[in-house]
Amino acid sequence: MDERQAVAAFAALGQEHRLRIVRALVEAGPDGLAAGVLAGQVGVSGTNVSFHLKELSRAGLIRSRRDGRSVIYSAAFAGLSGLIAFLLRDCCQGRPEVCTPAVDALAACLCPPGDTADA
């Protein structure tokens, strides 16, 4: 991820409903959620959730797929991982102990090993 992409991702996440949407989709995992379900979970109308989903998709943080008549949204784990890597790329200036809390928090993730849901 380059700086331009990171800025777009942070801008997309800089709104509370979009941040809630991403967190809900991360929690839902690769199966994702329909837009109507997301709208209910984050407390916005269907029209508003569509606007937020477009912004998050444009930033590369979520993806969508058609399932019959429904559109299912899921977290773009590769995009989210890229954003985290961008933040930590130059971490610590040679002092890995500074980054240990961030690395430990990621290691505690309950994601199954080798999960390639969006790799």
Side-chain angles (χ1 to χ4, degrees):
M1 176 171 288
D2 63 25
E3 188 172 293
R4 180 189 56 77
Q5 293 167 314
V7 168
F10 283 120
L13 291 171
Q15 201 282 341
E16 69 180 292
H17 292 120
R18 290 194 287 263
L19 182 59
R20 287 180 190 159
I21 289 168
V22 169
R23 293 188 74 198
L25 291 175
V26 166
E27 187 176 329
D31 291 338
L33 297 169
V37 173
L38 279 168
Q41 283 190 3
V42 301
V44 298
S45 69
T47 304
N48 283 339
V49 82
S50 293
F51 168 76
H52 294 309
L53 290 167
K54 257 189 258 181
E55 292 297 313
L56 291 165
S57 181
R58 230 180 300 212
L61 300 174
I62 67 168
R63 55 192 295 172
S64 63
R65 70 181 185 284
R66 191 155 288 284
D67 184 14
R69 292 184 177 185
S70 299
V71 177
I72 305 299
Y73 294 89
S74 56
F77 291 103
L80 293 167
S81 297
L83 185 58
I84 293 166
F86 175 84
L87 285 173
L88 297 178
R89 184 175 303 137
D90 301 317
C91 181
C92 313
Q93 298 182 4
R95 295 177 41 225
E97 71 278 3
V98 175
C99 293
T100 299
V103 172
D104 289 348
L106 291 172
C109 176
L110 298 178
C111 301
D115 183 5
T116 58
D118 194 24

